[in-house]
């Protein structure tokens, strides 16, 4: 349960896919290098495409490619997330961008663990999700740090019943005095 708190803290706001960081230095793209579908989607940028920074060109090209390959349901969800994103105050958008950068700076294994935790959270009932959100909000900064540390430790040890470091199944945690 507490392991989910980190996922909630990092991902509950749902950072849009368009906020992803490029994997390397951006290289300028010509308008002609875009597919006809991408050109159609990005037609508003055609006149000043060459004047856009390379990273902006890359982001637009990636976003348009993702859009082309989405199902209608995925597109509808993306539009809703974008509306929500645009409605946020600039300070909150910056905070989410910073959190996204922090997440991307984590080792890939930790990112995967957080994604798994978040997917578990998303499968919970809305009431359970809200209870966890309230629990997180009511914690002091020290309690949050402790919960995050316990979460990281639990993820490193693995789930109950799965092999531990020596191949034996992991016993359930003890909750009484040691």
């Amino acid at each position: 349960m507490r392991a989910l708190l980190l996922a909630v803290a990092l991902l509950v706001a749902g950072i849009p896919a368009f906020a992803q960081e490029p994997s390397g230095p951006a290289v300028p793209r010509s308008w002609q290098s875009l597919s006809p579908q991408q050109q159609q989607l990005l037609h508003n940028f055609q006149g000043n495409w060459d004047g856009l920074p390379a990273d902006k060109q890359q982001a637009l090209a990636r976003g348009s490619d993702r859009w082309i390959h989405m199902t209608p349901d995925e597109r509808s969800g993306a539009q809703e997330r974008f509306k929500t994103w645009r409605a946020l105050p600039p300070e909150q958008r910056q905070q989410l961008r910073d959190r996204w950068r922090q997440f991307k700076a984590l080792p890939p294994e930790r990112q995967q663990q957080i994604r798994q935790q978040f997917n578990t959270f998303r499968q919970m009932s809305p009431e359970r999700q809200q209870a966890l959100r309230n629990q997180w909000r009511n914690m002091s900064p020290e309690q949050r740090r402790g919960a995050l540390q316990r979460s990281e430790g639990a993820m490193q040890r693995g789930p109950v019943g799965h092999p531990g470091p020596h191949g034996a199944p992991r016993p359930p945690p003890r909750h009484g005095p040691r």
Side-chain angles (χ1 to χ4, degrees), residues 10 22 26 29 57 71 73 76 83 87 91 108 110 117 131 135-136 138 147 161 167:
L10 288 174
R29 292 187 64 161
Q57 290 176 349
T71 66
D73 285 343
S76 176
K83 283 180 192 173
E91 302 81 26
R110 187 67 182 130
Q117 290 172 332
Q135 181 181 353
W136 179 260
N138 291 328

Side-chain angles (χ1 to χ4, degrees), residues 68-135:
I68 290 166
H69 292 96
M70 286 181 183
T71 66
D73 285 343
E74 290 170 332
R75 287 181 182 180
S76 176
Q79 286 174 323
E80 286 302 314
R81 287 187 302 276
F82 188 68
K83 283 180 192 173
T84 301
W85 173 258
R86 296 296 297 170
L88 294 174
E91 302 81 26
Q92 194 170 0
R93 280 190 263 164
Q94 186 58 49
Q95 183 181 35
L96 291 172
R97 285 186 193 103
D98 293 343
R99 286 183 184 169
W100 179 253
R101 284 186 198 96
Q102 290 172 355
F103 173 76
K104 294 304 281 182
L106 294 171
E109 304 82 29
R110 187 67 182 130
Q111 289 181 28
Q112 185 58 34
Q113 291 168 346
I114 291 169
R115 284 186 185 100
Q116 289 171 349
Q117 290 172 332
F118 184 67
N119 287 332
T120 301
F121 176 81
R122 289 178 60 192
Q123 292 172 4
M124 293 178 179
S125 70
E127 295 81 17
R128 182 70 183 129
Q129 289 179 7
Q130 191 58 47
L132 285 172
R133 285 186 189 107
N134 291 340
Q135 181 181 353

